[in-house]
Amino acid sequence: MMGPAHSLSGAAAWLGVGAVAAGLGEPMPWPVLLAGALICAGAALAPDLDHKAATISRAFGPVSRTLCEVIDKLSYATYKATRMKGDPRRSGGHRTLTHTWVWAVLCGAGAAAAAVYGGRWGVLAVLFVHMVLAIEGLLWRHARVSSDVLVWLLGATSAWVIADVLDRPGNGSQWLFDQPGQQYLWIGLPVALGALVHCLGDALTVSGCPVFWPIPIGRKRWYPVGPPKGMRFRAGSWVELKVLTPVFMGAGGVCALGALGYFGS
């Protein structure tokens, strides 16, 4: 899928988690619901860090472009080192390592560690990166015609304001994890979820997605998971724009209302 659909699906997924959490008696404070949705929207772009033409490659200027090149080479090397006889030969690393559950878990764990052990600056760093990506994904028309500096300033401002709100008592810094030293441990959840949602979205496309790596399926370790080929679509096609995008928006709205308790008895 393309960047905007990935971001919308990520936001909708976290709002869905919020609705489920409310139903299970662990309702999210509204700042957690909002921050998590934006983080998840940004994280849903991150797996394309292995693609030089992806939205994320432009998001942070030379830094992200260089990182994309490094991740592409790392992904390709991992593919070559772990491929089985059934896996085809390829010339690049796109849709390999960063499109797996392993990568999603590592990203979530890294974000949680940065937030817990990095204190306020760690939280701000995680928020800043994902706010910028969320802007690039959700407001892509405006982001494309704006300068990078303006997008970064908006991301930094959003991160600072959200961190201030979350730090207030009862606003969610210890949501779900309430033991001493566990503040913001939850922040890794929307990061991991966003990466997984990206993989599921790509699995719906023609090429599929090797989300289960390194678990072998048949003669392939990089098995491109997806529905029957007749149900797949090409990235950027009318199915994505006219069907899935409105579905993500509608589902996200309904889930947000459920997370905020509007459907409670």
Side-chain angles (χ1 to χ4, degrees), residues 94-123:
H94 183 47
R95 284 205 187 184
T96 54
L97 179 60
T98 62
H99 287 66
T100 66
W101 69 270
V102 175
W103 183 268
V105 171
L106 289 175
C107 287
V116 171
Y117 297 109
R120 179 176 175 81
W121 290 108
V123 173

Side-chain angles (χ1 to χ4, degrees), residues 63-83:
V63 174
S64 53
R65 285 194 293 271
T66 301
L67 188 57
C68 278
E69 293 179 3
V70 172
I71 296 298
D72 178 45
K73 289 180 172 60
L74 173 64
S75 298
Y76 181 48
T78 303
Y79 182 86
K80 289 198 302 180
T82 62
R83 64 184 288 265

Side-chain angles (χ1 to χ4, degrees), residues 13 89 136 146 166-167 185 259:
R89 295 184 180 277
E136 292 282 359
S146 300
L166 286 170
D167 277 340
L185 186 60

